[in-house]
Amino acid sequence: MNRPATVELTQTPDLTPLPATTTGPDSQSGYAALRARWGQIAPVEIEPGVPAWLVMGHAEIYRILRSEALFSRDPRNWRWHRDGLLPDGAAILAYSPRRPRAASYHHDGAERARLRAPLDAALGTLPEKAVLTTTREVCRRLIGEFGQTGRHELVGDYCRKVGFLAMAAMFGFDAGTSARLMVDSGLTLGHGARAQEAQERIAATLVAHVRQRRSAGAADLTSALAHDRRFRSDVEIAETMAIPMHAASTFLTAWIAQTFHLILGDGPFGARWTQGRISLDDLLEEVLWRETPVANSPAPRYAMTDLRLDGKLIRTGDALVLAIAAANGDPRIHTGDPWDELGNRSHLAWGTGVHQCPAPRQARIIARVAVEELLQVADLRLLTLPGQTTWTASPWVRYPQRLPVEFRRVPRGRHTAVDTRPPAR
C-alpha cells in the first residue's frame, strides 16, 4: 500500500486506539495491520483525544532509547501538557503527570543519574538467595490458601499477588501492609478521585516506612535507600521505591500470567518444558519474546526537536509510545530458524539505555520461582477453550484477564505433568 510521503500527528484524523494492539486475538496482528498501512511508526490515540506516535520497529526503538538528548522522559516536554490539552481525568496522567515525580523515571540527564544511582546500588547489593527465599515464602503462603483440590482463577488468586508481595517484602513491609499497598497500587492505574487518594495513601505509607527504617534499621532495600546521601528528601526515596513496586504489579503480573497461559493453553509449548527439552529459564525468556508483558511502554518519550523518522514529521513535544511487543516481533530481526535464535536475549522487554529496567535479575528470580513453586505441587488444567481468552483492557500490558483452572495438589518434588488437553465442552 502506498503511504503518504509526509505524515504529521495533528493532521491525521484517523487514529487507531492504542488498546487495539493489546486486546486482539494475538499479540502481533494489530501491529501488522498498522505496519502495512503506515510503516514502522503509526499515529494512534492513547485514549480518546490524546494522540501519539506508536514506534514499532526494533531499530527505531533502540535509537530512541539510546538518544536521551533527542527523546526526553520528562512529561513537561509533552506539548499536550504545555498547551493544556489534557483534561484532569485523563488516564495517562497516572504515567505522565503534569509535574514529574521525584524519581529517575521522569527525569533526564544529571537529575536522572542522581536519582537512579541509589536504586541501582541498593538492588545490586541484594543477595539473590534473599530474593529466592522471600519469593518462595510468598508463593507457598498463597498456594497454601488453595486447599487440596478445587477450581481457582490464577490471575487474581496468584499471578497478580505474587510479584508485588515478594517485592514489597524485599522493601521490608509486613504481609498486612503489603496487601494494602497492592490494592492501592492497582487503583492508581485508573483515574479520578480514587486513583489520587490511592497515590496519597501509598506516598504516606512509603515515607513513614523510610523514616522508621532510618531510625530502627533493617537488612532490606528501604534501609539501604534511607541512608543514601544522594537523596535530598524522604519524598525522593519514597518515589524511588514506588518504581520497582509498581513494575511488580504490572510487569511481573503479566509475565507470570502469560507464562501459565502458554504452558497450560499451548500444548507444544508446555510439552517442551514438561518433557525436559527446554529449561524453565529459557522458557521464561521465550515468553518475553512471544508475549511481551509490557506490550507498549507506559513511559512515552517526548521529541525535543522537529525531526523525521520513517517518513513521519515528528514535531517538538510530540509523544512517542514504544511498542515493545511489536519490536520483539519485528520480522527484520528474526531468521525464522529456532535453533539459530536459541538463547537470543536481544528482545527489548527490559528496555536499554539509561532508563532500562533497574531490576531484571530480581524479576527473573521472582517469575521463575512463582511458576516453579506452583507447578511442583499441583496438577493444573485450564478451563477455557482455545480462542476464548479475554485480555486485560489496557493500552500498555497484554495478559489474560482470567485463567480459570482445575487444581489438584500433588506431593512436592514430583515434576508435575501439566494437563494441556482442552477442557470438555
Side-chain angles (χ1 to χ4, degrees):
M1 180 176 179
N2 292 328
R3 304 182 189 115
T6 300
V7 179
E8 194 169 344
L9 189 59
T10 55
Q11 297 175 2
T12 307
D14 182 16
L15 300 176
T16 299
L18 189 57
T21 64
T22 58
T23 55
D26 63 75
S27 63
Q28 295 297 324
S29 58
Y31 298 121
L34 285 170
R35 275 199 188 99
R37 181 178 180 187
W38 298 105
Q40 297 298 337
I41 300 177
V44 297
E45 268 190 325
I46 295 176
E47 57 188 282
V50 184
W53 294 109
L54 184 67
V55 187
M56 297 176 285
H58 190 281
E60 289 78 7
I61 290 180
Y62 197 89
R63 174 189 172 186
I64 290 169
L65 290 173
R66 290 283 182 172
S67 304
E68 186 181 25
L70 288 177
F71 303 99
S72 169
R73 275 276 286 266
D74 190 332
R76 290 172 295 189
N77 291 315
W78 189 12
R79 59 174 163 149
W80 259 254
H81 278 324
R82 184 192 65 205
D83 298 340
L85 299 175
L86 274 182
D88 289 339
I92 186 60
L93 289 170
Y95 294 103
S96 297
R98 292 187 174 91
R99 185 175 181 180
R101 298 190 181 96
S104 62
Y105 187 91
H106 283 138
H107 291 276
D108 306 312
E111 186 70 350
R112 182 263 312 147
R114 178 182 71 82
L115 292 166
R116 175 65 183 259
L119 179 60
D120 288 340
L123 289 167
T125 59
L126 186 64
E128 289 190 1
K129 185 177 179 180
V131 180
L132 190 151
T133 301
T134 298
T135 306
R136 187 170 286 148
E137 289 172 354
V138 169
C139 293
R140 293 181 179 180
R141 185 169 73 245
L142 293 173
I143 296 169
E145 298 171 0
F146 282 17
Q148 293 298 314
T149 61
R151 293 189 173 188
H152 294 278
E153 197 286 288
L154 281 189
V155 175
D157 294 345
Y158 191 71
C159 305
R160 192 171 282 133
K161 295 178 179 180
V162 64
F164 188 93
L165 295 179
M167 186 61 71
M170 290 173 216
F171 278 101
F173 289 104
D174 59 59
T177 305
S178 296
R180 291 192 296 273
L181 284 169
M182 180 176 63
V183 172
D184 278 338
S185 182
L187 291 174
T188 64
L189 301 180
H191 50 88
R194 291 186 72 200
Q196 181 61 37
E197 291 165 2
Q199 289 175 359
E200 291 170 359
R201 286 193 298 270
I202 290 173
T205 300
L206 296 183
V207 168
H209 191 58
V210 168
R211 291 170 180 169
Q212 189 277 332
R213 281 301 195 257
R214 184 179 294 117
S215 173
D220 56 38
L221 288 172
T222 304
S223 296
L225 294 172
H227 291 93
D228 196 304
R229 295 182 179 276
R230 286 170 287 195
F231 288 118
R232 295 170 183 166
S233 71
D234 290 343
V235 171
E236 287 186 351
I237 301 174
E239 294 284 7
T240 296
M241 292 167 62
I243 294 173
M245 293 180 71
H246 284 310
S249 72
T250 52
F251 180 89
L252 277 173
T253 294
W255 192 11
I256 295 166
Q258 284 284 36
T259 301
F260 279 119
H261 181 248
L262 286 170
I263 289 176
L264 300 175
D266 183 329
F269 184 91
R272 290 167 63 206
W273 178 63
T274 58
Q275 295 172 6
R277 289 183 285 130
I278 187 174
S279 70
L280 183 54
D281 287 318
D282 284 340
L283 181 144
L284 285 162
E285 207 68 27
E286 189 166 326
V287 175
L288 294 181
W289 275 113
R290 287 181 50 170
E291 293 287 354
T292 311
V294 179
N296 304 310
S297 173
R301 266 46 174 194
Y302 310 104
M304 298 301 289
T305 188
D306 289 357
L307 70 157
R308 289 185 184 276
L309 285 176
D310 191 47
K312 316 304 186 297
L313 181 57
I314 313 296
R315 293 291 190 184
T316 303
D318 278 356
L320 297 98
V321 173
L322 310 182
I324 305 302
N328 289 349
D330 188 339
R332 299 177 299 176
I333 64 166
H334 292 286
T335 64
D337 182 348
W339 290 104
D340 187 45
E341 296 191 4
L342 190 64
N344 182 356
R345 294 193 175 186
S346 63
H347 57 72
L348 291 172
W350 308 110
T352 188
V354 295
H355 281 288
Q356 64 186 332
C357 174
R361 180 170 61 97
Q362 292 82 7
R364 281 191 172 99
I365 294 172
I366 293 171
R368 174 164 48 82
V369 172
V371 174
E372 190 174 49
E373 281 291 318
L374 184 55
L375 294 183
Q376 277 190 346
V377 299
D379 281 339
L380 300 171
R381 187 181 183 194
L382 188 62
L383 298 177
T384 53
L385 291 165
Q388 286 187 337
T389 302
T390 56
W391 302 95
T392 299
S394 167
W396 313 114
V397 294
R398 177 180 170 84
Y399 64 93
Q401 197 170 42
R402 299 179 71 254
L403 283 176
V405 298
E406 189 175 279
F407 171 95
R408 182 173 64 87
R409 192 177 293 273
V410 298
R412 175 171 291 279
R414 180 168 78 81
H415 189 66
T416 182
V418 176
D419 187 346
T420 58
R421 294 173 298 161
R425 292 183 181 272

